[in-house]
Amino acid sequence: MLSIASTLAAINMAETEQQAGSSPEDDKPPLPISLNFMVPKKEISMVPDMGKWKRSQAYADYMGFILTLNEGVKGKKLTCDYTLSETVEKLLSLLDTLDRWIDETPPVDQPSRFGNKAYRTWYAKLEKEAESLVAAVIPSDRSAASQEIAVYLKEAVGNSTRIDYGTGHEAAFAAFLCCLCKIGALRVEDQLSIVFKVFDRYLRVMRKLQKTYRMEPAGSQGVWGLDDFQFLPFIWGSSQLIDHPTLEPRHFVDEKAVNEHHQDYMFLECIKFINEMKTGPFAEHSNQLWNISAVPTWSKVNQGLIRMYKAECLEKFPVIQHFKFGSLLSIQPVKP
């Protein structure tokens, strides 16, 4: 099984084995995947197809990627020191562009309160520009991958018909980053900046989209779900807090603790956003999170959230029926 962890390790090894004195063009590691790129498409059309997904190379790679990053951010603050590679800088620029387009596309007056139709205008711009945005991020010798990878970027920002957003769209952005790892555009040393810079910036843009266009939660379970829109920042955010000397899970329902520490921890930043967006007792509007605050350690919270993510997101047909498979995230079964 070729997990993302081993893919990243292979890329890293290829870099360390470069001969001294080689040109910058030669410094690029060899492409760890075949060059037969394809436009990703849906493969899960019925509930029985879910078995194909769980046995697929895509599932193994996706979970490998999530868990590798989960381990990488363990015990580290958002404000810790790490380097930003050229690819990461370009990704941040891409997200800045999406943010700027929101400012350029104000909501329109309409009778319904939710699902502002201006979102469709914003989305149409992304649909038109996605491939060139991705091509500007990846190395020129890998530009053939831009059409395939751009599909995940377009899937990552919500649905333009329903004007909604949920964990399936969030998974598409993680898949987008996973693909960038598979073609070698993102490297082992980018692990912290993938979560702390790129994913954090993505979250901010998505929150702005949700607020500006009053997007509906896609497939929300209401008070019985973890969150209306996101899941991954709770996983990675709880890993950040493992073995914290003073902050325990019970503290995240304390607004004072959240306000003091949210800039350092993704989990608390999510709680702060919920507190801003929802009124009433926390135990009522976010019951699942309230229950999690009773778990004794962050390590147990982290393990529980990973299990919950698999059960509530990755193993749910309404979410995975929209996932798209190509050459980089393949529906083919994992090779023994």
Side-chain angles (χ1 to χ4, degrees), residues 146-159:
S146 58
Q147 188 181 23
E148 177 166 340
I149 296 174
V151 169
Y152 295 105
L153 178 63
K154 288 184 281 188
E155 295 282 318
V157 297
N159 182 280

Side-chain angles (χ1 to χ4, degrees), residues 191-207:
Q191 284 185 61
L192 284 181
S193 55
I194 286 171
V195 179
F196 291 170
K197 275 291 182 188
V198 179
F199 195 82
D200 188 63
R201 184 75 182 98
Y202 164 75
L203 279 180
R204 291 171 195 278
V205 176
M206 292 308 102
R207 286 170 184 152

Side-chain angles (χ1 to χ4, degrees), residues 105-123:
T105 318
V108 296
D109 287 332
Q110 63 179 44
S112 59
R113 185 176 167 214
F114 289 96
N116 194 280
K117 290 180 174 62
Y119 172 79
R120 290 178 182 148
T121 307
W122 179 90
Y123 186 86

Side-chain angles (χ1 to χ4, degrees), residues 32-167:
I33 39 76
S34 76
L35 290 169
N36 298 322
F37 298 113
M38 59 187 279
V39 178
K41 62 183 195 297
K42 294 178 183 179
E43 299 276 5
I44 309 300
S45 54
M46 298 180 294
V47 173
D49 293 336
M50 289 296 287
K52 280 199 299 185
W53 155 242
K54 285 186 268 189
R55 291 189 297 271
S56 72
Q57 188 65 55
Y59 183 88
D61 285 346
Y62 182 85
M63 274 315 299
F65 179 68
I66 299 302
L67 295 175
T68 297
L69 293 177
N70 186 62
E71 194 59 33
V73 302
K74 188 174 172 182
K76 296 184 176 72
K77 292 181 179 181
L78 285 167
T79 49
C80 72
D81 290 330
Y82 49 86
T83 56
L84 299 185
S85 67
E86 187 182 351
T87 300
V88 167
E89 296 278 17
K90 287 176 177 178
L91 281 167
L92 294 173
S93 176
L94 183 159
L95 291 164
D96 286 345
T97 299
L98 301 189
D99 192 310
R100 190 181 73 249
W101 288 349
I102 301 172
D103 296 334
E104 294 168 2
T105 318
V108 296
D109 287 332
Q110 63 179 44
S112 59
R113 185 176 167 214
F114 289 96
N116 194 280
K117 290 180 174 62
Y119 172 79
R120 290 178 182 148
T121 307
W122 179 90
Y123 186 86
K125 199 176 285 192
L126 173 61
E127 201 160 36
K128 184 182 171 191
E129 302 290 339
E131 212 173 311
S132 57
L133 287 172
V134 172
V137 167
I138 63 181
S140 56
D141 63 339
R142 290 151 210 208
S143 60
S146 58
Q147 188 181 23
E148 177 166 340
I149 296 174
V151 169
Y152 295 105
L153 178 63
K154 288 184 281 188
E155 295 282 318
V157 297
N159 182 280
S160 62
T161 305
R162 298 186 303 271
I163 313 182
D164 66 7
Y165 174 94
T167 52

Side-chain angles (χ1 to χ4, degrees), residues 246-258 268 293 298:
T246 56
L247 287 172
E248 296 172 19
R250 64 189 172 90
H251 290 126
F252 76 74
V253 292
D254 172 7
E255 213 162 317
K256 184 172 177 286
V258 170
L268 301 182
S293 71
W298 286 111

